[in-house]
Amino acid sequence: MSGPAALISLIVPCFNEERNIPSLYERLLEVMEPINLAFEIILINDGSTDQTLTIVQNLHQKDKRVRYASFSRNFGHEAASSCGFELAKGDAAILLDADLQDPPELIPEMIRRWHNGAQMVYGRRLSREGEGIRKRASSYLFYRLLNRLSDTQIPADVGDFRLVDRVVIDHFNALPERNRFVRGMFSWVGFRQEEIPFTREQRHQGDSKYNWFKLFLLAFDAITSFSVSPLRICSLVGLMVTMASFAAAITVSLQKLLWGMAIPGYAFATAGMFLLGGVQLLFLGMIGEYIGKIYTQVQGRPLFIVDETESTTSARMSKTQDSLPHE
Ligand code: UDP
Ligand code: MG
């Protein structure tokens, strides 16, 4: 927590957001200028294929409070957010979407709470405009399941939109995992957290980058990143199946030996075989999931590759100017 001279970093991951960035910039200025705190806007271009980078570069030319990093390709929202937190120089940083779904008008209240001692302030969505019953139901299920399975309690209906104090940012940046489920990691880090309810708006322009399959993968990834309970469930189910088979074997033997009953058909045996085969494959997959995580972690590749930032472009420019007289 800092006094009035504080700097606020606004971090915005952008993937093909050419139509949203200009209005986002205007709205951010409208909100930030009356607050009387220094601020920087960090735009992360996550390998966009539209005019996002050009727009971002032009904004930086016009307004030096706009900083940026541009990735060599698309690395995903979580990597882009992580990069933003690494670049942020602020005493607090605010992470928000480029599509104006996270209303910048909430920022003054976040900053007020931060001044009053909160180290993290996140928005909790009251309603989800424009999201169907299926998405709401799956999101509800996802959080219930995740919190059941993992030791880290991750609040439901809380997205990535949040203010984070410098202390928390430093701890977040120090976390070594490759697999970054940002909101989960912030819950894991802890500190004094507060929430503000808000109504999430519809996307300003363009489409969501997430489809059902991506969301399913994200959920699965989040669960396996934060908990080893699925492995325990596998062992437990394995134990139950073994006990049931044992009981079935005893019953069948008794029927044959004591009462001389003919053991009926192959149906039972075949069904059991398929069931066991299926369960084994499923569990093998589950173990594989964790091995995959170990694999990416051990590889130790960087989370993202930055192609250019506002300082490398100016460095490049000054280099060309320096070398001019010698050519
Ligand atoms: N985004 C990104 N990289 C990606 C996908 C999305 O940087 O690979 C950005 C996107 O530009 C937006 C934010 O992450 O600012 C959230 O994405 P989106 O609005 O598509 O997700 P939703 O709001 O539907 O969860
Ligand atoms: Mg969005």
Side-chain angles (χ1 to χ4, degrees):
M1 268 266 320
S2 314
L7 172 73
I8 307 283
S9 307
L10 302 159
I11 301 170
V12 191
C14 307
F15 178 47
N16 294 342
E17 300 284 7
E18 59 181 7
R19 289 192 290 165
N20 288 321
I21 294 172
S23 14
L24 172 82
Y25 174 71
E26 294 303 325
R27 289 258 300 264
L28 285 180
L29 288 197
E30 274 167 32
V31 167
M32 291 309 291
E33 280 179 339
I35 296 181
N36 235 347
L37 281 181
F39 66 92
E40 55 177 7
I41 302 177
I42 304 177
L43 302 168
I44 311 293
N45 172 36
D46 185 12
S48 302
T49 47
D50 63 359
Q51 292 305 308
T52 297
L53 180 60
T54 321
I55 293 175
V56 167
Q57 285 166 333
N58 290 342
L59 273 182
H60 169 69
Q61 284 305 321
K62 194 171 86 178
D63 181 350
K64 293 292 181 250
R65 291 172 299 186
V66 177
R67 300 172 55 204
Y68 70 91
S70 182
F71 286 177
S72 59
R73 64 169 171 84
N74 178 257
F75 280 90
H77 175 233
E78 314 280 327
S81 318
S82 301
C83 174
F85 282 109
E86 275 181 27
L87 292 179
K89 294 181 181 153
D91 301 287
I94 298 171
L95 176 65
L96 72 167
D97 275 11
D99 55 15
L100 290 166
Q101 278 192 298
D102 304 328
E105 289 67 30
L106 219 64
I107 293 176
E109 174 63 13
M110 287 181 161
I111 294 179
R112 204 182 59 75
R113 301 244 190 153
W114 174 60
H115 278 151
N116 287 339
Q119 287 163 302
M120 191 179 330
V121 188
Y122 50 75
R124 182 194 283 271
R125 302 166 197 171
L126 278 179
S127 77
R128 295 164 155 242
E129 299 278 326
E131 284 180 6
I133 185 89
R134 280 199 310 171
K135 182 153 184 199
R136 288 184 214 187
S138 56
S139 144
Y140 175 80
L141 263 177
F142 165 63
Y143 283 107
R144 287 298 291 267
L145 196 68
L146 183 61
N147 286 333
R148 253 271 150 77
L149 292 177
S150 90
D151 301 331
T152 312
Q153 293 303 300
I154 300 171
D157 288 330
V158 171
D160 290 324
F161 183 30
R162 62 188 64 220
L163 176 147
V164 192
D165 182 79
R166 171 49 58 191
V167 176
V168 186
I169 300 174
D170 289 342
H171 282 289
F172 174 82
N173 288 344
L175 292 182
E177 58 244 64
R178 307 283 102 200
N179 203 297
R180 293 176 98 76
F181 179 51
V182 172
R183 64 193 82 158
M185 289 165 68
F186 277 125
S187 296
W188 183 88
V189 168
F191 292 101
R192 281 191 302 280
Q193 311 197 356
E194 286 184 20
E195 62 176 50
I196 306 179
F198 77 106
T199 310
R200 194 159 204 242
E201 287 161 37
Q202 294 206 15
R203 239 176 179 279
H204 184 63
Q205 289 287 320
D207 295 321
S208 168
K209 312 294 180 299
Y210 288 97
N211 55 31
W212 273 88
F213 185 60
K214 268 193 171 176
L215 279 178
F216 171 75
L217 288 184
L218 187 74
F220 197 64
D221 223 35
I223 289 175
T224 46
S225 293
F226 275 83
S227 152
V228 288
S229 305
L231 287 177
R232 266 181 227 142
I233 295 174
C234 292
S235 318
L236 218 67
V237 175
L239 190 72
M240 280 172 355
V241 172
T242 314
M243 282 177 357
S245 325
F246 203 61
I250 292 177
T251 318
V252 172
S253 315
L254 288 181
Q255 283 176 334
K256 173 85 179 160
L257 294 175
L258 296 184
W259 297 292
M261 279 169 65
I263 304 304
Y266 294 103
F268 180 72
T270 334
M273 209 175 73
F274 278 114
L275 176 77
L276 279 184
V279 168
Q280 280 181 359
L281 283 182
L282 193 75
F283 290 3
L284 215 57
M286 190 58 94
I287 298 170
E289 190 64 33
Y290 285 94
I291 295 181
K293 287 217 152 66
I294 300 171
Y295 173 63
T296 34
Q297 188 70 29
V298 169
Q299 264 184 326
R301 291 191 178 164
L303 286 174
F304 48 79
I305 295 175
V306 174
D307 180 28
E308 70 168 72
T309 66
E310 79 281 342
S311 45
T312 55
T313 359
S314 27
R316 260 186 228 155
M317 279 163 62
S318 55
K319 208 166 176 187
T320 0
Q321 276 160 9
D322 285 349
S323 53
L324 274 181
H326 306 290
E327 279 170 2

